């Protein structure tokens, strides 16, 4: 009986234990169900409901498993994340920290869970503005994930995205971009192109581009992210609101208020419904929407939204967060626009203080705050307090440009410079208001010297570094870029035949994108070396340029700018103030004295410049009235500032870069009789670029190309043949016009160019001549080494011109491509300018399609010439039509052959501004080389040749078409004895003034 009793007791105990275990299993199952429900609700953006489920899961697991179990850590991690998503940052930190402590304990054996906790806490610190705490956590998480999962796992992309986002907040965009790009590539490969995490990467990369002013790059990424999120998450998810916000902000930046406002209003409705009225994301939407209202002058609608956004951020983030500074800035801007300066001032000051403390003294947002406060001081008539703020803001902006531009392609840099242009133009507007203030003069001239022509300077720097400093691998990349540019040029210039318009344009865009990617890669590779040859600092650039001026000279900087009103009438909305385009001129003397003159509105001056150029381009036109009119507008105001200075270094801007100042007329005489002009892209060109290799002494001449010569068929390019449906009407019309012209008169032979080349060889016996069928595109693009002088005498073109006279060195009927209905306005101007070399033969009237001329095999575009190695070349002479023409970009010069050859390394480029006569150009060039051999400077020799030709050809159409851009130093090509003998020969026939 006793045994039976104990057996019964044992059975009862086992049953009780089993029952307890069942109850435990049920509670854990309930906890798992709550955890899964919380995770699902989180994905749907229903954070408050998810939090309830998450807290239930945590309570159950802690009761069953204890407070240190890994599943408890998972619940803590989830709760912290949900609090963060709700904007409750103070409540988010304790559970995230506790989860990290559990997962980082010695007994823990789950490195991936540890990485998750590190990343989540880093995300929280980034949102809170504790940037110094976040980065070590991101870096540790990345190391764990890469070691455990490999480099291409989506979790690795999460770490990369977090690090990039932090870098972007710190203003380190050049570090952030490659991280964002790598994260995007990983996610697309691992998750597919339509995953919500792919949308996150697209959105973040677009944010970076918007911050740099690359709106064209940002918009398609924003739009794609929005489409993915709407499809995957539904139209009412908070992440959809984020995409709407970003697009609205982008459109606001571009002044497209009608497109931005409905997006902002929709985003606000989504966020308020999903997140509640006090979430930081609601504050973001309120700020964007209020800014859209304020820019349109709807101040009464904007102010309550700005105030509400500020209150939300202060409550959620504290009083010292950068986002609070953003709200303060917005509200201050609203008050300033209405003339309430006393109300704006403390807000601007507080925003500056927050940003300096949180982001450091050199952040782009600090520069913005300094500019805002400086502009307010100007409006308050407190000039002495404003100038130091504006000077410091400019210095920060310049530092940012130097850092970020190192990694940019040319097109990307152009966008960034335009993005910075607004602050630059405010300095020019300030100078107009205070032309005699020495501090304002110096600040404005500093901006001109550092920013004008900056794009060509950076592109040239990259070219020089590639050719002179980088290894074989990088030069191989550059060769691929050169080949790609040739493909792009060929496609742009060839007869599309049966090409479908969409496919043709798609292929052009594809090649352009590939070239941009290669440019970016080369820029990044060369950045460390280029950083060692930086421009002078803002504090010293004026003095450095002044010291480089010859004692008897002056620098004249023309600036075309859009006026940025320093003080709008109270209540005038931003959108109603486009600003007038104006010209000003700054004069710098060798002793660093500065003078300034407002030249007035740009429209009448540019009209006068166009009229003069048109008159000079026609040998039978009356030109005196136009020459005097432009003199009165562009040069007469400068003469009182110049005093007795007659040797001038001119840096034109806008349409003034397309006229010869020597042909201006003061009513008594041409300016060529009074002034010696040397042209510069920008005054900093006087600080001659460092040549790391010895200057070459060779002379290479390509002239009198044989346009009837048959060239070998071009080799097939990578990508294979293309099949097309029908030619686009615009291209079909262009090429039919071009073929008709070719059939009618072919490429006109240029006997003067052969005589010109032979004359050069008589003067310089060692000159290498490539004439007739030897004057080929291949020979030009594959020069074995940089020549000292490169002379090109042939047909030139800039697409968009009128038909060429029969005896000119110009190409006719290319103007069809520039018709508004024929070519896109965004066409690369470097593809629309170039030279014609041997092989551009015309078919007979009965030619078959197979015998059509392969124009691309003989036309060399400026884009291709930009890839030449001319580092060591002292002089390039473009003895052809329109070689100085191109597309004018304010502040950055003329985009065409002149830019291409400067980028390639040429110290001086001689070029024409209209279609030149074959015979008189030969005479001008022969006189030019005689003057060079006599030891005259490169620009001075051209002036004397012009004066000589003018004795027999008084119309400036013949003697004034060429200008010399760059160094005026004498050539250093020949042995002293030879140069002396040739100089005497040249001097035997002096060129009278």
């Amino acid at each position: 009986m006793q045994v039976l009793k104990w057996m019964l007791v044992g059975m009862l105990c086992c049953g009780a234990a089993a029952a307890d275990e069942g109850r435990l299993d049920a509670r854990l199952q309930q906890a798992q169900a709550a955890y899964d429900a919380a995770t699902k609700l989180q994905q749907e953006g229903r954070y408050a409901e998810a939090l309830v489920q998450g807290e239930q899961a945590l309570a159950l697991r802690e009761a069953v498993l204890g407070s240190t179990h890994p599943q408890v850590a998972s619940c803590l991690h989830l709760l912290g994340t949900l609090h963060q998503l709700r904007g409750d940052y103070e409540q988010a930190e304790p559970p995230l920290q506790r989860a990290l402590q559990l997962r980082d304990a010695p007994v823990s054996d789950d490195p991936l869970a540890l990485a998750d906790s590190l990343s989540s806490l880093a995300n929280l610190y980034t949102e809170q503005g504790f940037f110094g705490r976040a980065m070590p956590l991101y870096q540790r998480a990345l190391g764990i994930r890469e070691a455990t999962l490999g480099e291409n796992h989506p979790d690795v992309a999460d770490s990369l995205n977090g690090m990039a986002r932090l870098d972007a907040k710190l203003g380190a965009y050049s570090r952030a971009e490659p991280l964002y790009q790598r994260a995007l590539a990983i996610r697309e490969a691992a998750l597919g192109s339509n995953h919500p995490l792919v949308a996150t990467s697209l959105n973040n990369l677009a944010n970076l581009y918007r911050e740099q002013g690359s709106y064209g790059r940002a918009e398609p990424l924003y739009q794609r992210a929005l489409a993915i999120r709407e499809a995957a998450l539904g139209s009412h998810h908070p992440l959809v609101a984020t995409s709407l916000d970003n697009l609205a902000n982008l459109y606001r930046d571009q002044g497209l208020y009608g497109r931005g406002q409905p997006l902002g209003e929709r985003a606000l409705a989504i966020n308020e419904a999903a997140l509640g009225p006090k979430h930081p994301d609601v504050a973001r939407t309120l700020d964007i929407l209020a800014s859209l209202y304020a820019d349109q002058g709807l101040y009464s609608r904007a102010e309550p939204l700005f105030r509400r956004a500020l209150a939300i951020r202060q409550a959620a983030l504290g009083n010292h967060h950068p986002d609070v500074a953003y709200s303060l800035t917005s509200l201050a801007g609203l008050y300033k626009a209405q003339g309430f300066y006393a109300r704006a001032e403390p807000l601007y000051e507080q925003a500056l203080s927050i940003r300096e403390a949180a982001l450091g003294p050199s952040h782009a947002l600090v520069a913005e705050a300094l500019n805002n406060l400086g502009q307010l001081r100007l409006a308050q008539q407190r000039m002495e307090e404003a100038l130091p703020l504006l000077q410091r803001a400019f210095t920060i902006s310049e530092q940012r440009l130097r850092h970020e531009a190192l990694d940019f392609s040319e097109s990307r840099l152009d966008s960034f410079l335009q993005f910075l242009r607004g602050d630059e133009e405010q300095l020019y507007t300030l100078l107009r208001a205070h032309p005699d203030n020495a501090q304002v003069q110096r600040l404005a001239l500093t901006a001109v010297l550092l920013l004008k022509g900056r794009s060509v300077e950076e592109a040239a720097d990259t070219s020089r570094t590639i050719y002179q400093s980088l290894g074989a691998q990088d030069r191989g990349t550059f060769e691929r870029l050169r080949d790609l540019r040739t493909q792009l040029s060929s496609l742009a210039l060839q007869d599309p035949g049966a090409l479908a318009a969409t496919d043709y344009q798609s292929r052009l865009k594809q090649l352009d994108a590939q070239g941009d990617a290669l440019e970016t890669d080369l820029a990044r590779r060369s950045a460390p070396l280029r950083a060692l040859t930086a421009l002078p600092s803002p504090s010293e650039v004026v003095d450095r340029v002044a010291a480089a001026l010859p004692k008897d000279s002056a620098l004249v900087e023309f600036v075309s700018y859009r006026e940025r009103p320093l003080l709008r009438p109270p209540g005038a909305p931003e959108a109603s103030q486009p600003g007038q385009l104006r010209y000003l001129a700054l004069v710098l003397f060798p002793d660093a004295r500065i003078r300034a003159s407002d030249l007035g509105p740009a429209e009448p001056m540019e009209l006068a410049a166009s009229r003069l150029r048109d008159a000079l381009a026609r040998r039978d036109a009356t030109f005196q009235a136009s020459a005097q009119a432009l003199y009165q507008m562009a040069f007469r105001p400068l003469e009182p500032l110049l005093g007795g200075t007659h040797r001038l270094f001119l840096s034109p801007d806008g349409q003034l870069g397309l006229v010869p100042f020597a042909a201006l007329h003061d009513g008594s005489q041409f300016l060529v009789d009074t002034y010696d002009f040397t042209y510069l892209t920008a005054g900093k060109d006087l600080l001659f670029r460092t040549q790391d290799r010895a200057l070459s002494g060779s002379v290479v001449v390509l002239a009198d190309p044989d346009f009837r010569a048959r060239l070998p068929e071009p080799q097939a390019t990578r990508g294979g043949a293309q099949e097309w449906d029908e030619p686009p009407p615009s291209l079909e019309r262009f090429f039919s016009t071009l073929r008709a012209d070719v059939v009618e008169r072919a490429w006109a032979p240029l006997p003067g160019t052969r005589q010109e080349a032979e004359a050069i060889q008589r003067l310089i016996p060692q000159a290498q001549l490539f004439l007739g069928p030897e004057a080929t595109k291949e020979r030009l693009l594959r020069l074995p080494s940089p020549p000292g002088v490169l002379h090109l005498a042939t047909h030139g073109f800039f697409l968009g011109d009128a038909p060429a006279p029969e005896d000119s060195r110009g190409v006719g009927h290319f103007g069809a491509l520039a018709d508004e209905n024929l070519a896109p306005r965004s066409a690369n101007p470097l593809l629309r300018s170039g030279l014609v070399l041997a092989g551009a033969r015309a078919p007979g009237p009965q030619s078959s399609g197979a015998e059509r001329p392969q124009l691309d095999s003989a036309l060399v575009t400026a884009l291709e010439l930009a890839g030449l190695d001319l580092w060591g070349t002292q002089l390039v002479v473009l003895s052809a039509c329109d070689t100085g023409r191109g597309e004018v970009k304010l502040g950055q010069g003329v985009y065409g052959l002149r830019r291409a050859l400067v980028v390639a390394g040429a110290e001086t480029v001689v070029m024409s501004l209209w279609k030149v006569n074959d015979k008189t150009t030969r005479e001008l060039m022969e006189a030019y080389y005689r003057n060079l051999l006599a030891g005259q400077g490169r620009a001075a020799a051209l002036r004397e040749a012009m004066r000589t030709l003018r004795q027999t050809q008084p119309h400036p159409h013949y003697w004034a078409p060429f200008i010399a851009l760059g160094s005026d130093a004498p050539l250093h090509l020949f042995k002293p004895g030879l140069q002396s003998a040739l100089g005497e020969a040249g001097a035997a026939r002096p060129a009278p003034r």
Side-chain angles (χ1 to χ4, degrees), residues 600-683:
E603 184 176 358
M605 188 175 300
E606 298 201 336
L607 180 60
S610 297
R611 285 175 174 169
L612 175 60
R613 187 173 62 246
D614 291 345
L616 296 180
R618 295 169 52 200
R619 56 195 172 197
D620 58 348
T622 301
F623 60 86
Q624 288 89 344
S626 297
Q628 290 180 35
L630 188 58
Y631 162 80
Q632 291 293 335
M633 294 185 207
F635 200 82
R636 177 68 186 90
L638 303 181
E639 290 185 315
L641 309 182
L642 295 172
T645 304
H646 294 278
R647 183 180 180 187
L648 302 180
F649 292 87
L650 293 185
S651 173
D653 199 2
Q655 293 298 318
L656 295 182
L658 298 176
V659 294
F661 275 69
L664 301 189
H665 202 282
D666 65 6
S668 300
Q669 58 188 352
F670 290 106
L671 295 192
V672 71
D673 295 320
T674 312
Y675 294 94
D676 291 339
F677 297 117
T678 300
Y679 293 86
L680 305 171
T681 300

Side-chain angles (χ1 to χ4, degrees), residues 555-574:
L555 167 68
V556 180
E557 286 279 8
F558 291 96
V559 179
S560 182
Y561 70 103
R562 192 163 297 282
E563 192 174 25
R564 306 275 176 163
L566 302 175
L567 179 60
R568 295 203 308 268
E574 180 75 23

Side-chain angles (χ1 to χ4, degrees), residues 374-627:
Q375 295 298 324
L376 180 68
R377 295 281 186 259
L378 290 175
Q380 294 172 314
Q381 306 297 317
R382 295 158 67 178
M383 171 75 79
E384 294 304 315
E385 297 175 60
L387 285 177
L389 299 171
L390 298 177
Q391 288 167 340
R392 187 179 159 206
F394 178 80
T395 298
I396 295 172
S397 180
E398 172 63 20
Q399 290 171 346
R400 179 188 180 192
L401 176 59
R402 293 186 189 202
H403 181 68
E404 293 182 46
L406 291 175
D407 291 345
F408 284 173
S409 64
E410 285 191 56
S411 63
R412 180 87 171 273
L413 178 59
D414 285 343
S415 296
F416 193 40
L417 288 168
Q418 287 305 309
F419 176 64
L420 299 176
R421 180 84 173 161
D423 290 341
E424 178 188 356
E425 290 179 324
Q426 284 186 333
L427 298 180
Y428 304 147
T429 303
L430 179 62
L431 179 61
R432 183 193 169 208
H434 304 277
D436 299 322
N437 185 298
Q439 288 179 281
V440 175
Q441 290 173 347
R442 188 176 181 90
L443 180 57
L445 183 57
T446 297
V448 175
L449 293 176
L450 289 175
L451 296 176
K452 192 176 183 184
R454 186 64 166 271
S455 179
V456 68
E457 179 76 21
E458 296 290 345
D461 242 6
T462 301
S463 169
R464 178 181 59 82
T465 304
I466 289 167
Y467 277 120
Q468 299 185 15
S469 303
L470 295 186
Q473 178 183 352
D474 296 309
R475 286 196 293 273
T477 302
F478 193 54
E479 281 302 308
R480 292 199 301 275
L481 176 60
R482 289 183 63 180
D483 290 343
L484 189 145
R485 285 173 170 174
T486 296
Q487 292 179 48
L488 184 58
S489 298
S490 297
L491 185 63
L493 293 173
Q494 70 181 332
D495 182 348
L499 307 185
T502 55
D503 290 339
Y504 182 80
Q505 294 298 332
S506 175
R507 179 60 177 156
L508 284 175
K509 289 180 180 179
Q510 181 185 22
L511 288 173
D512 192 54
Q514 291 173 6
D516 192 82
L518 284 174
E519 284 183 29
T520 300
D521 183 47
L522 286 167
R524 286 175 177 165
R525 289 173 182 269
S526 63
L529 292 172
R530 288 159 53 214
L532 300 176
T533 57
L535 289 164
S537 69
S539 63
E540 62 182 7
V541 66
V542 171
D543 294 327
R544 288 277 299 278
V545 172
L549 284 166
K551 296 301 181 185
D552 60 343
S553 70
L555 167 68
V556 180
E557 286 279 8
F558 291 96
V559 179
S560 182
Y561 70 103
R562 192 163 297 282
E563 192 174 25
R564 306 275 176 163
L566 302 175
L567 179 60
R568 295 203 308 268
E574 180 75 23
S576 68
Q577 302 291 324
Q580 185 183 43
L581 200 64
R582 301 183 67 87
Y583 273 96
L584 67 82
L586 293 108
V587 181
L588 177 66
F589 295 94
D591 60 2
R593 284 181 297 119
I594 303 170
R595 297 291 182 267
S597 176
D598 171 40
L599 300 180
E603 184 176 358
M605 188 175 300
E606 298 201 336
L607 180 60
S610 297
R611 285 175 174 169
L612 175 60
R613 187 173 62 246
D614 291 345
L616 296 180
R618 295 169 52 200
R619 56 195 172 197
D620 58 348
T622 301
F623 60 86
Q624 288 89 344
S626 297

Side-chain angles (χ1 to χ4, degrees), residues 33-47 50 78 237:
Y35 183 89
D36 292 342
T39 302
K40 185 174 184 296
L41 290 166
Q42 176 192 343
Q43 293 171 349
E44 295 172 355
R46 297 159 63 183
Y47 305 134
L78 175 62
H237 195 280

